[in-house]
């Protein structure tokens, strides 16, 4: 009886692990068919992600919109970012994003805060319909970032019908234009 109980617990843990590990992977690896219209939505309280988003725009000719909070963020508001992360807050977005429906591909550009996307990006993802759109997480890494965190999980959880592509990791180190060009070839855009 004890062995059966242990086996049941192991199976349950394996199923939970499979579910959550599944969410950290992209749903698609390449773009199938053509892309008519693209949009870059970026959040950049310190200005770094803005520079990187504009590099992506330079290579894709996508429309571009900065995400701003109703309550403005300062460049290094770590205490606020931590409170939002720990409480799962979803700060209100200042801009109106009414016409996302007309885009086939959306690049979501953001820094990594506490191992995930900032909670304001969560709000954008939750409030808009990304169904059947290709979504590219454009992650602005800094020296403290060990990777791109759980941001794909956040996107996949709140936009389950989106076609999430692998992350585009950028570092603002002079090599990002080359990284963007290689990435676009990899996902079948160029």
């Amino acid at each position: 009886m004890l062995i059966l109980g242990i086996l049941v617990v192991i199976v349950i843990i394996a199923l939970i692990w499979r579910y959550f590990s599944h969410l950290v992977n992209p749903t698609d690896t390449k773009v199938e068919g053509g892309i008519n219209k693209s949009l870059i939505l970026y959040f950049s309280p310190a200005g770094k992600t803005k520079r990187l988003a504009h590099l992506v725009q330079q290579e894709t000719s996508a429309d571009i919109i900065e995400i701003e909070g109703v309550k403005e963020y300062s460049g290094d508001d770590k205490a606020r970012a931590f409170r939002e992360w720990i409480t799962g807050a979803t700060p209100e977005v200042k801009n109106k994003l009414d016409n996302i429906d007309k885009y086939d591909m959306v690049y979501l550009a953001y820094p990594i805060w506490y191992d995930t996307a900032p909670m304001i990006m969560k709000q954008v993802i939750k409030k808009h319909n990304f169904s059947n759109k290709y979504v590219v997480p454009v992650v602005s890494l800094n020296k403290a970032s060990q990777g791109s965190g759980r941001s794909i999980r956040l996107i996949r959880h709140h936009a389950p019908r989106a076609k999430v592509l692998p992350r585009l990791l950028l570092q603002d180190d002079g090599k990002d234009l080359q990284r963007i060009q290689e990435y676009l070839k990899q996902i079948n855009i160029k």
Side-chain angles (χ1 to χ4, degrees):
M1 189 67 166
L2 178 62
I3 293 174
L4 181 61
I6 292 171
L7 286 174
V8 168
V9 169
I10 290 171
V11 167
I12 290 170
I13 291 170
L15 290 171
I16 292 170
W17 177 262
R18 183 172 183 264
Y19 172 76
F20 283 107
S21 64
H22 169 75
L23 287 179
V24 299
N25 297 320
T27 56
D28 290 70
T29 57
K30 292 187 184 290
V31 172
E32 302 295 331
I35 297 295
N36 294 321
K37 202 148 175 63
S38 298
L39 173 66
I40 299 166
L41 295 174
Y42 73 91
F43 173 68
S44 183
K48 177 180 166 184
T49 305
K50 179 179 184 172
R51 288 190 304 277
L52 298 172
H54 282 277
L55 276 178
V56 173
Q57 182 190 35
Q58 176 183 319
E59 290 299 307
T60 62
S61 301
D63 294 340
I64 190 165
I65 299 173
E66 181 176 12
I67 301 300
E68 298 173 285
V70 169
K71 182 181 174 195
E72 216 171 288
Y73 286 83
S74 68
D76 191 27
D77 200 350
K78 291 192 185 293
R80 178 179 174 190
F82 182 74
R83 280 191 311 276
E84 290 175 357
W85 174 74
I86 203 75
T87 63
T90 48
E92 287 301 314
V93 177
K94 183 181 191 178
N95 0 18
K96 298 265 189 226
L97 306 171
D98 296 333
N99 52 351
I100 288 180
D101 290 342
K102 69 181 182 180
Y103 296 97
D104 302 317
M105 177 172 276
V106 179
Y107 297 84
L108 296 174
Y110 48 84
I112 291 294
W113 286 356
Y114 297 99
D115 200 36
T116 193
M119 295 297 102
I120 196 163
M121 294 305 288
K122 175 182 170 185
Q123 180 72 335
V124 169
I125 296 163
K126 284 175 66 171
K127 279 196 158 187
H128 297 90
N129 184 5
F130 289 90
S131 295
N132 300 313
K133 293 181 187 323
Y134 286 102
V135 176
V136 175
V138 180
V139 178
S140 172
L141 296 176
N142 61 35
K143 292 177 186 173
S145 299
Q146 295 297 318
S148 53
R150 299 179 311 264
S151 60
I152 282 188
R153 182 183 307 159
L154 183 132
I155 295 167
R156 290 203 47 209
H157 179 75
H158 295 291
R161 290 181 294 285
K163 300 174 187 175
V164 182
L165 293 163
R167 298 172 192 101
L168 171 55
L169 303 175
L170 302 176
Q171 299 174 8
D172 200 24
D173 63 359
K175 299 176 186 174
D176 289 317
L177 192 55
Q178 180 183 350
R179 286 184 185 107
I180 293 165
Q181 292 166 345
E182 289 172 1
Y183 179 86
L184 294 173
K185 286 180 192 168
Q186 174 191 335
I187 65 166
N188 203 26
I189 293 291
K190 288 195 173 196

